[in-house]
Amino acid sequence: MSNSRSMIEQKLESMGLKLPEPPRPIANYLPAVEVGNILYVSGTLGTIRDENDKDIMPIKGKLGGELTIEQGYESAKLMALNHLALMKKAIGDLDRIERIVKMVGYVNSAPGFTEAHLVLNGASDLYEAVLGPERGKHARAALFQNELGLDAPIEAEMTVQLKA
């Protein structure tokens, strides 16, 4: 495997973003599983790695409660970067991504909150900006949850088609 940056990583860098260290699983599961030319990426949160090499969540809480749509959007961007980091760890080279097929997103919602679709745009907009509309635009479900583990504002799982 080459040490060179993928075109996707170069695009992230041109946007002022950096691929993070992939988050560690918080339970007994694989972060990603490749079957044929499909990569299934487990539910991932908007975490970052702190100075003690620990995964932490900089934004916590319920959307429409203590969090705004803008804060949820930023958490979704962090989650999308984590998805890309997990994909790189699983497949070695992000340029193997043919297209993002589907994202199923869960939004930790206070009663009456109806804007989950706007929150998950943080991830969807990033995928489209980095991969382009042909590869980054995807099918999506935005589901409302009354609780998420670790008080996460968002979580999503992905289905990704890989180049043959």
Side-chain angles (χ1 to χ4, degrees):
M1 189 182 321
S2 154
N3 286 336
S4 65
R5 292 258 188 255
S6 69
M7 288 175 36
I8 292 170
E9 288 173 276
Q10 291 174 29
K11 177 66 175 179
L12 283 169
E13 289 172 7
S14 76
M15 296 167 61
L17 300 170
K18 185 176 186 250
L19 200 62
E21 288 295 319
R24 297 174 185 100
I26 60 173
N28 186 15
Y29 62 89
L30 292 171
V33 174
E34 185 176 347
V35 178
N37 70 332
I38 301 294
L39 183 68
Y40 298 93
V41 184
S42 293
T44 304
L45 308 172
T47 59
I48 60 171
R49 191 74 53 92
D50 74 4
E51 64 278 355
N52 297 315
D53 199 36
K54 196 174 167 193
D55 293 325
I56 61 165
M57 203 165 338
I59 302 169
K60 288 184 173 187
K62 290 188 180 294
L63 277 297
E66 59 268 25
L67 296 180
T68 65
I69 291 171
E70 293 76 18
Q71 289 170 306
Y73 185 97
E74 288 305 311
S75 185
K77 278 177 59 177
L78 290 174
M79 177 192 68
L81 289 169
N82 283 337
H83 277 144
L84 291 169
L86 290 170
M87 288 181 221
K88 180 177 179 176
K89 184 175 182 181
I91 63 175
D93 181 357
L94 289 176
D95 290 336
R96 287 188 58 207
I97 296 172
E98 180 70 31
R99 79 168 302 147
I100 304 295
V101 177
K102 185 174 183 180
M103 178 172 68
V104 178
Y106 307 90
V107 177
N108 188 356
S109 303
F113 182 73
T114 61
E115 309 285 357
H117 58 288
L118 297 177
V119 171
L120 289 173
N121 278 348
S124 296
D125 291 349
L126 181 71
Y127 295 132
E128 186 174 3
V130 171
L131 296 163
E134 294 297 317
R135 294 171 55 202
K137 207 150 183 100
H138 48 273
R140 186 178 88 181
L143 305 171
F144 298 88
Q145 302 294 296
N146 66 350
E147 298 289 339
L148 282 176
L150 306 176
D151 203 22
I154 51 85
E155 181 173 353
E157 59 184 277
M158 305 282 299
T159 304
V160 180
Q161 179 185 14
L162 303 174
K163 294 178 181 173

